[in-house]
Amino acid sequence: MKLVSAAEMKACDLYTIETLGVPALLLMEHAALAVVEEMLRLENLAKCKILVACGSGNNGGDGFAIARLLKVKGYQVELLFVGNPEHLTAETKLQKTICENYQIPLYTQLPKNPDYAVLVDAILGIGLKKIVYPHIGQVIEALNQLKLFVFAVDLPSGLSGDSGEILGQAIRADKTITFQFKKFGLTKQPAKQFAGEILVKDIGVSDQPLISH
């Protein structure tokens, strides 16, 4: 199994999108489908109220796509947006708009007395290099305290994809669905402890940049 750094993963993504011409939205859709496929294995998911927490980067875009797929399948799903609306990537902005069109409830603060059973963590991606912003750290801490069954998208938010260290606060996941290649950080502590069961899913990203070097 290939192990990659955050920079190597970014290079593979860019090669797939810019050189091979695979739309970023298509990769996002593949990532969302991979997470939903794994979520459907959870017993009694149909009885669970699901919260999908999204940031403004493409990890958040994966989250919005996951929420829409769950909504279409008839699951109870709500969104928590903790990113900066001015920093939304083009793909994430579109996915967010689609969720709004589907009238999926969207909050910018965690509701009081939440009754969720499952959390999808799509707040931060693998490119995190510095301590999480205080307000995001507070959200992460509050989500951890809810003790939900947590699916992390690519990497639990707040962890370094390279060193595996906690950058301020980090989500504790039960399952981490990482895309295409396992990230170096997921092989190290404390990330291994925070990631829970780690599953690597093929979403169609080329490994050519890894071979070229």
Side-chain angles (χ1 to χ4, degrees), residues 81-107:
F81 178 58
V82 296
N84 184 334
E86 295 180 5
H87 295 164
L88 286 163
T89 65
E91 293 81 14
T92 302
K93 188 174 184 178
L94 178 58
Q95 295 283 11
K96 182 173 179 284
T97 299
I98 294 169
C99 284
E100 290 165 354
N101 293 341
Y102 271 91
Q103 299 183 330
I104 300 171
L106 189 152
Y107 304 99

Side-chain angles (χ1 to χ4, degrees), residues 4-6 9-10 13 27 31-32 34-35 58-60 62-63 66 120-128 151-161 173 175-187 191 195 197-203 205:
V4 299
S5 65
M9 190 67 226
K10 186 175 181 180
D13 282 337
L27 294 179
V35 175
N58 278 355
N59 194 254
D62 294 342
I66 289 163
V120 177
D121 163 33
I123 301 172
L124 301 167
I126 63 166
L128 186 66
F151 293 90
V153 178
D154 214 13
L155 184 78
S157 293
L159 295 175
S160 165
K175 285 193 177 186
T176 296
I177 297 95
T178 198
F179 306 126
Q180 207 64 43
F181 316 113
K182 198 169 189 178
K183 314 310 183 288
F184 277 115
L186 288 171
T187 67
E197 182 185 357
I198 299 166
L199 302 155
V200 182
K201 296 287 186 176
D202 187 337
I203 62 166
V205 175

Side-chain angles (χ1 to χ4, degrees), residues 157-179:
S157 293
L159 295 175
S160 165
D162 291 336
S163 70
E165 66 183 309
I166 299 168
L167 298 172
Q169 296 281 351
I171 288 283
R172 286 188 176 274
D174 295 281
K175 285 193 177 186
T176 296
I177 297 95
T178 198
F179 306 126

Side-chain angles (χ1 to χ4, degrees), residues 4-188:
V4 299
S5 65
E8 287 171 330
M9 190 67 226
K10 186 175 181 180
C12 290
D13 282 337
L14 286 175
Y15 178 86
T16 304
I17 295 162
E18 296 179 0
T19 304
L20 299 181
V22 179
L25 271 172
L26 184 59
L27 294 179
M28 194 173 273
E29 202 70 13
H30 286 171
L33 284 164
V35 175
V36 170
E37 178 184 48
E38 195 55 41
M39 291 182 71
L40 296 183
R41 300 179 194 274
L42 188 66
E43 195 174 345
N44 294 325
L45 186 68
K47 297 178 182 177
C48 296
K49 192 172 177 182
I50 304 161
L51 179 66
V52 183
C54 301
S56 30
N58 278 355
N59 194 254
D62 294 342
F64 284 116
I66 289 163
R68 186 235 315 147
L69 290 170
L70 290 168
K71 169 77 171 181
V72 168
K73 290 179 180 292
Y75 291 95
Q76 301 176 71
V77 61
E78 296 185 348
L79 285 157
L80 175 66
F81 178 58
V82 296
N84 184 334
E86 295 180 5
H87 295 164
L88 286 163
T89 65
E91 293 81 14
T92 302
K93 188 174 184 178
L94 178 58
Q95 295 283 11
K96 182 173 179 284
T97 299
I98 294 169
C99 284
E100 290 165 354
N101 293 341
Y102 271 91
Q103 299 183 330
I104 300 171
L106 189 152
Y107 304 99
T108 53
Q109 292 185 331
L110 191 61
K112 291 182 178 178
N113 305 315
D115 56 348
Y116 305 108
V118 174
L119 170 68
V120 177
D121 163 33
I123 301 172
L124 301 167
I126 63 166
L128 186 66
K129 294 182 176 65
K130 58 186 179 182
I131 300 294
V132 297
Y133 291 119
H135 76 280
I136 292 180
Q138 288 167 9
V139 171
I140 288 173
E141 190 174 8
L143 291 171
N144 280 338
Q145 287 175 359
L146 295 179
K147 300 194 183 324
L148 310 178
F149 191 96
V150 180
F151 293 90
V153 178
D154 214 13
L155 184 78
S157 293
L159 295 175
S160 165
D162 291 336
S163 70
E165 66 183 309
I166 299 168
L167 298 172
Q169 296 281 351
I171 288 283
R172 286 188 176 274
D174 295 281
K175 285 193 177 186
T176 296
I177 297 95
T178 198
F179 306 126
Q180 207 64 43
F181 316 113
K182 198 169 189 178
K183 314 310 183 288
F184 277 115
L186 288 171
T187 67
K188 302 172 182 178

